[in-house]
Amino acid sequence: ASAAVELESLSPPLLGAALIGESMADMHDRGFVHGDAHTKNFIIQIENRAAFNVDVDSMGHVERPLTDRERAGDLGVLKASIATFEMWEAVEAGYRAASAADVSGVFRLL
């Protein structure tokens, strides 16, 4: 709960980045690999506290938990599309706050 409170205190652009992180964590926790995760592939609704993936063409699904490498592969592509270090930190904070998995190993791979 404290992570969510911290996210709420972010400026709208940083909150949008955190919401993308939350969306990616939710997809990964459900067994989906995006394959082409770029910021342009998300619609962000700050007022609804949501980020929606609008590009599912390259998305795949597995019937098992994703590996750290699979998660990091997706996040590495996303990281390359992030404009600033502060925005990447917000994506990471959102991902860590939303994921049900232990993702510490994921971020060590990036």
Side-chain angles (χ1 to χ4, degrees):
S2 63
V5 172
E6 292 172 20
L7 295 180
E8 290 300 330
S9 68
L10 296 174
S11 67
L14 293 180
L15 179 56
L19 294 173
I20 289 173
E22 288 181 353
S23 179
M24 289 293 295
D26 183 57
M27 283 188 284
H28 286 166
D29 286 353
R30 294 172 188 268
F32 289 93
V33 177
H34 191 282
D36 188 30
H38 296 277
T39 55
K40 67 182 178 190
N41 292 338
F42 292 87
I43 293 176
I44 300 166
Q45 292 183 343
I46 296 294
E47 63 280 0
N48 294 329
R49 202 177 185 286
F52 301 97
N53 174 22
V54 295
D55 177 15
V56 296
D57 292 339
S58 58
M59 193 175 278
H61 185 261
V62 295
E63 294 293 331
R64 58 168 171 72
L66 294 185
T67 67
D68 286 354
R69 288 202 180 280
E70 288 167 329
R71 288 174 181 256
D74 253 3
L75 291 171
V77 172
L78 177 63
K79 186 176 184 180
S81 74
I82 300 292
T84 67
F85 180 73
E86 291 77 18
M87 290 191 77
W88 174 249
E89 284 184 320
V91 169
E92 182 177 343
Y95 191 95
R96 286 180 183 272
S99 183
D102 174 5
V103 296
S104 55
V106 172
F107 289 96
R108 282 196 296 271
L109 292 171
L110 294 172

